[in-house]
């Protein structure tokens, strides 16, 4: 088989399916494995025990999927630059700042459907072949793989950066037994810039390429199911789901390209919405309004916990204090503790 031609065909099919870029890497992720092990040794993964669980399968792709000899990596842009800029939202304490990737349909579903179609097209052309599709869903080092495949370089904030579009995109992978010719790896273009390290609200980027998840607002508001440590609550501001600050300040994001995926359009006005409106959702409303959205996976308790902290950082008006006090009656012990913190921050004497 002419694998160079097959690779060119796969590239054309990937673009026709709406991906912005496709590249191929080999399966030698030993350098990324060393970086991962160092990060784990520092305990920077917090309570994400699953980062340990799969051991070397994460950086030895043929251990995870036996027979894998190359990896197809794709990029799908998600940003809509016509939305209220995230930075403007973080400057309006009564509004909710939600990470821009999470406003629409769950990217896992969108990416998986497209990747599945791509594998079907390959099968139609060459017959059955060994493969498995990943969308941020298994122990896969997607950024290291994408960097090797030439899709971009890992910036000092540890996200992938592309010269033509910045960093607002998702990645997906196909592990395959097809020996496709690898692309040249991307080169590094952060230079001497350290903007993301300086501007992280909780100083979570403790050194270039080293994010201490235990300090990162994305981790604290999404992965973390327990209380948010008090030392980070003020710095959270109104960031109630994830945090985009390290991407917002990155100079490469002036090249952001708009998404072509209608499914990523914001739902329920969550791109620019009042905190109080979200705090007043019942559990039933939360479940129904976040159906098919990545936000749903944090659950109602963590959702209320995050908004309570943000309300504690907002203006101390009567409506906010009243809403917080009303929720005290029904909240779980964890949420209640965050509401009490918020009320104390707002100077309400009825808080404890
Ligand atoms: S802000 Fe600067 S250092 Fe950070 S990822 Fe962007 S270019 Fe690299």
């Amino acid at each position: 088989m002419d694998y160079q031609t097959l690779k060119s065909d796969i590239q054309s099919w990937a673009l026709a399916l709406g991906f912005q870029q496709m590249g191929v890497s080999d399966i030698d992720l030993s350098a990324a494995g060393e970086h991962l092990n160092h990060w784990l040794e520092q305990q920077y993964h917090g309570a994400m025990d699953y980062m340990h669980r799969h051991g070397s399968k994460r950086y030895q792709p043929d251990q995870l999927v036996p027979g894998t000899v190359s990896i197809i990596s794709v990029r799908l842009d998600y940003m809509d630059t016509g939305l209220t800029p995230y930075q403007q939202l973080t400057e309006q304490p009564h509004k909710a700042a939600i990470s821009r990737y999470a406003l629409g349909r769950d990217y896992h579903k969108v990416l998986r459907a497209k990747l599945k179609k791509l594998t079907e097209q390959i099968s139609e052309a060459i017959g059955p072949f060994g493969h498995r599709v990943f969308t941020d869903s298994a122990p896969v080092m997607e950024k290291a793989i994408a960097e090797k495949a030439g899709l971009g370089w890992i910036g000092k904030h540890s996200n992938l950066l592309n010269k033509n579009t910045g960093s607002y995109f998702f990645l997906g992978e196909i592990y395959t037994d097809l020996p496709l010719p690898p692309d040249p790896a991307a080169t590094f273009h952060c230079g001497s810039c350290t903007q993301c390290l300086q501007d992280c609200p909780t100083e979570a980027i403790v050194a270039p390429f080293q994010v201490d998840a235990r300090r990162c607002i994305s981790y604290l508001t999404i992965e973390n199911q327990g209380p948010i440590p008090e030392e980070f609550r003020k710095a959270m501001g109104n960031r109630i789901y994830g945090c985009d600050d390290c991407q917002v300040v990155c100079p490469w994001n002036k090249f952001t390209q708009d998404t072509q995926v209608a499914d990523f359009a914001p739902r329920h006005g969550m791109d620019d919405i009042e905190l109080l409106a979200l705090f007043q959702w019942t559990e039933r409303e939360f479940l129904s309004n976040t159906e098919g959205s990545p936000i749903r996976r944090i659950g109602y308790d963590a959702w209320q916990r995050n908004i309570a902290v943000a309300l504690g950082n907002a203006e101390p008006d009567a409506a906010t204090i009243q809403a917080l006090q009303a929720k005290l009656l029904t909240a779980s012990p964890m949420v209640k503790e965050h509401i009490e913190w918020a009320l104390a921050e707002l100077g309400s004497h009825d808080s404890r």
Side-chain angles (χ1 to χ4, degrees), residues 43-88:
Q43 305 297 318
Y44 289 155
H45 58 294
M48 293 185 285
D49 291 333
Y50 58 85
M51 295 300 295
H52 265 300
R53 217 170 294 142
H54 296 276
S56 54
K57 277 187 183 165
R58 204 173 276 276
Y59 49 89
Q60 295 194 345
D62 53 345
Q63 277 188 11
L64 183 66
V65 183
T68 300
V69 295
S70 55
I71 305 173
I72 299 167
S73 201
V74 291
R75 184 190 108 214
L76 188 65
D77 295 346
Y78 64 77
M79 184 55 107
D80 175 353
T81 56
L83 301 178
T84 307
Y86 182 84
Q87 203 161 14
Q88 267 183 34

Side-chain angles (χ1 to χ4, degrees), residues 153-159 161 167 188-197 205 208-209 245-253:
W153 73 97
I154 297 177
K156 292 179 191 173
H157 51 12
S158 90
N159 294 308
L161 278 170
S167 59
F188 182 67
H189 297 282
C190 282
S192 58
C193 173
T194 52
Q195 203 63 48
C196 53
L197 282 89
I205 311 173
F209 320 108
D245 284 49
C246 62
Q247 301 192 84
V248 166
V249 299
C250 177
W252 287 102
N253 272 327

Side-chain angles (χ1 to χ4, degrees), residues 326-341:
K327 281 273 182 189
L328 272 179
L329 304 172
T330 52
S332 70
M334 188 209 28
V335 176
K336 200 168 166 213
E337 184 271 310
H338 289 75
I339 294 176
E340 284 168 346
W341 175 87

Side-chain angles (χ1 to χ4, degrees), residues 101 107-108 222-223 225 241 286 293-299:
Y101 81 83
Y107 62 97
H108 298 95
I222 299 173
E223 305 289 343
Q225 283 295 303
Y241 188 96
F286 169 78
S293 145
I295 294 174
R296 197 177 211 232
R297 77 183 172 106
I298 68 169

